Amino acid sequence: MLTDYHVHLRPDDEGTPAAQYFTAANAERYRAVAEERGIAELGVAEHIHRFTQSLEIWRHPWWQRWARDDVDAYCEFVREETDLRLGIEADFVAGREDRIANFLDAREWDFVVGSVHFIADAAVDMEEWSVWGRGESPEKVWRRYFETVGESARTGLYDIIAHPDLVKVWGGDAPQPEGDLRRYYEPAIEGCLDGGVALEVSTAGLRKPVGEIYPARSFLEEAAGAGLPIALSSDAHLPDQLGHRYDEALELLAAVGVTELSVFEGRERRLEPIG
Ligand SMILES: [Zn+2]
Ligand SMILES: [Zn+2]
């Protein structure tokens, strides 16, 4: 069974109001493409920062700019007007665990995707607020990024840890540490094991400057070897990005010995054979 859970119903651009994208017709477009591509389990996971209630967690200026929509209206729309699993992509903000828990516990999700897009107030995958160009060494940025991913997994707030090596997103366009990168991955993998979460394999990186699946093969080898459950997603922001280049992800999963994928309902996880 193929899954795509980390899916957005709209692009991350201006001019993408909820009223236009949170519609049964739009959800139907995603469902149709998923069916065409053999993806039986389809969920949505809108960015937390697009909801006004996220400002109770964090008031980063970038979040303040984007927080427009009502999260309960989103939940109601997905439950009542679609047949999609209900999720959310909720950033981990260190020190705000209680506030994140309050936000998440107040709603009935099928799954919660945890993401690290920021290290303190610096963005990992955006040019605006970028972590790069502030005089930090790539070693320090990478170390802090993967430690934060591990920390996020350990909180118990999340079911899936998204794009686990997002820090590589810029490829050669940003400084990168030298040599064997496995020394960075370890704290992230340990955190996932401690937290009992599933690790996301995401084809989104293939659409980014790095041009690679998240996470790197050596990361996934280690994680799969340690028995971490795997969740497969595309991080689509358009219907046509659903299941994007899944053939390559499936090849990678087979190569590292992963034969089952995580399936979620009501925040319960079970494993289903990829088939
Ligand atoms: Zn993300
Ligand atoms: Zn996403």
Side-chain angles (χ1 to χ4, degrees):
M1 175 189 280
L2 292 183
T3 64
D4 206 342
Y5 284 124
H6 184 164
V7 168
H8 303 271
L9 287 167
R10 54 184 172 179
D12 289 337
D13 307 323
E14 295 286 355
T16 53
Q20 192 181 328
Y21 288 87
F22 296 172
T23 66
N26 192 36
E28 203 34 60
R29 277 192 279 278
Y30 280 75
R31 176 57 84 190
V33 175
E35 248 164 53
E36 227 175 78
R37 298 183 183 173
I39 297 161
E41 268 290 310
L42 187 61
V44 282
E46 286 303 306
H47 285 292
I48 195 169
H49 65 254
R50 305 228 23 197
F51 300 113
T52 53
Q53 291 93 336
S54 71
L55 298 178
E56 291 158 22
I57 298 170
W58 204 32
R59 299 190 65 85
H60 190 291
W62 193 78
W63 279 31
Q64 293 194 50
R65 163 139 58 93
W66 284 100
R68 296 275 177 277
D69 304 325
D70 181 75
V71 70
D72 296 304
Y74 160 67
C75 293
E76 200 182 305
F77 154 69
V78 174
R79 289 291 185 214
E80 290 176 13
E81 294 186 53
T82 82
D83 61 353
L84 308 176
R85 297 276 180 231
L86 173 61
I88 187 157
E89 178 173 14
D91 284 61
F92 173 63
V93 183
R96 303 294 167 94
E97 291 83 350
D98 289 352
R99 298 180 191 201
I100 301 169
N102 288 341
F103 179 101
L104 294 174
D105 292 349
R107 283 120 200 150
E108 292 189 355
W109 313 102
D110 286 313
F111 60 94
V112 175
V113 178
S115 292
V116 175
H117 296 114
F118 287 87
I119 305 172
D121 71 341
V124 171
D125 65 338
M126 289 194 303
E127 288 183 51
E128 216 177 327
W129 292 91
S130 181
V131 71
W132 302 110
R134 298 181 172 210
E136 304 275 27
S137 68
E139 288 74 22
K140 188 171 173 196
V141 170
W142 277 51
R143 186 163 39 78
R144 286 196 64 199
Y145 170 78
F146 287 104
E147 283 171 1
T148 309
V149 171
E151 205 187 323
S152 74
R154 233 177 238 118
T155 59
L157 291 166
Y158 305 113
D159 302 304
I160 300 170
I161 295 302
H163 38 60
D165 60 351
L166 180 69
V167 69
K168 73 180 178 186
V169 62
W170 300 110
D173 299 344
Q176 278 174 305
E178 304 275 317
D180 189 336
L181 299 171
R182 280 178 294 189
R183 65 189 186 281
Y184 295 102
Y185 305 152
E186 219 151 88
I189 294 170
E190 269 170 30
C192 290
L193 288 166
D194 290 348
V197 294
L199 186 81
E200 181 180 85
V201 167
S202 168
T203 56
L206 293 168
R207 299 187 266 113
K208 299 293 162 67
V210 68
E212 284 176 20
I213 288 172
Y214 305 117
R217 180 178 173 136
S218 59
F219 186 128
L220 186 60
E221 255 163 7
E222 200 118 342
L228 265 185
I230 301 300
L232 176 62
S233 288
S234 67
D235 206 344
H237 286 68
L238 297 167
D240 191 47
Q241 291 173 345
L242 279 181
H244 177 68
R245 290 168 74 176
Y246 263 18
D247 48 339
E248 290 165 62
L250 293 174
E251 223 169 89
L252 174 65
L253 288 168
V256 303
V258 174
T259 58
E260 296 176 311
L261 292 178
S262 306
V263 173
F264 296 89
E265 192 178 349
R267 304 206 65 180
E268 298 280 336
R269 180 182 68 223
R270 64 176 203 278
L271 291 171
E272 288 281 345
I274 295 174

Coordinates of all heavy atoms in Angstrom, one line a residue, residues 6 8 47 89 115 117 125 162-163 166 235, ligand 1:
H6 N 2.1 13.7 3.9 CA 2.6 15.0 4.0 C 2.3 15.8 2.8 O 3.1 15.8 1.8 CB 4.1 15.0 4.3 CG 4.7 16.3 4.6 ND1 5.9 16.4 5.2 CD2 4.3 17.5 4.3 CE1 6.2 17.7 5.2 NE2 5.2 18.4 4.7
H8 N 0.1 19.2 1.1 CA -0.5 20.5 1.3 C -1.5 20.8 0.2 O -1.3 20.5 -1.0 CB 0.6 21.6 1.2 CG 1.6 21.4 2.3 ND1 1.6 21.9 3.5 CD2 2.8 20.7 2.2 CE1 2.7 21.5 4.2 NE2 3.4 20.8 3.4
H47 N 0.5 23.6 6.8 CA 1.4 24.2 7.7 C 0.8 24.9 8.8 O -0.2 25.7 8.6 CB 2.2 25.3 6.9 CG 3.2 24.8 5.9 ND1 4.3 24.1 6.3 CD2 3.2 24.8 4.6 CE1 5.1 23.8 5.2 NE2 4.4 24.2 4.2
E89 N 1.2 19.8 9.6 CA 2.6 19.9 9.7 C 2.9 21.0 10.7 O 2.8 22.2 10.5 CB 3.3 20.3 8.3 CG 4.8 20.4 8.4 CD 5.5 20.6 7.1 OE1 4.8 20.9 6.1 OE2 6.7 20.5 7.1
S115 N 8.1 19.1 12.1 CA 9.1 19.6 11.2 C 10.1 20.5 11.9 O 9.6 21.3 12.8 CB 8.5 20.4 10.1 OG 7.8 19.6 9.2
H117 N 12.0 23.6 10.7 CA 12.3 24.6 9.6 C 13.2 25.7 10.1 O 13.7 26.5 9.4 CB 11.0 25.2 9.0 CG 10.1 24.2 8.4 ND1 8.8 23.9 8.9 CD2 10.2 23.5 7.3 CE1 8.2 23.1 8.1 NE2 9.1 22.8 7.1
D125 N 15.3 26.4 5.4 CA 15.0 26.2 4.0 C 14.4 27.4 3.3 O 13.7 27.3 2.3 CB 14.1 25.0 3.8 CG 12.7 25.2 4.5 OD1 12.6 26.0 5.4 OD2 11.8 24.5 4.1
A162 N 9.4 14.8 9.7 CA 9.4 15.2 8.3 C 10.8 15.4 7.8 O 11.7 15.8 8.6 CB 8.5 16.4 8.1
H163 N 11.0 15.3 6.5 CA 12.2 15.7 5.8 C 13.4 15.7 6.7 O 13.9 16.8 7.0 CB 12.0 17.0 5.0 CG 11.2 18.1 5.6 ND1 11.5 18.6 6.8 CD2 10.1 18.7 5.2 CE1 10.6 19.5 7.1 NE2 9.7 19.6 6.2
L166 N 16.6 18.0 6.1 CA 16.2 19.3 5.4 C 17.4 20.3 5.3 O 17.4 21.0 4.3 CB 15.0 19.9 6.1 CG 14.5 21.2 5.4 CD1 13.8 20.9 4.1 CD2 13.5 21.9 6.3
D235 N 5.3 15.6 0.1 CA 5.3 17.0 0.5 C 4.7 17.8 -0.7 O 5.2 18.9 -1.0 CB 6.7 17.5 0.9 CG 6.6 18.7 1.9 OD1 5.6 19.3 2.0 OD2 7.7 19.0 2.5
Ligands
ZN1 ZN 8.3 21.1 5.9

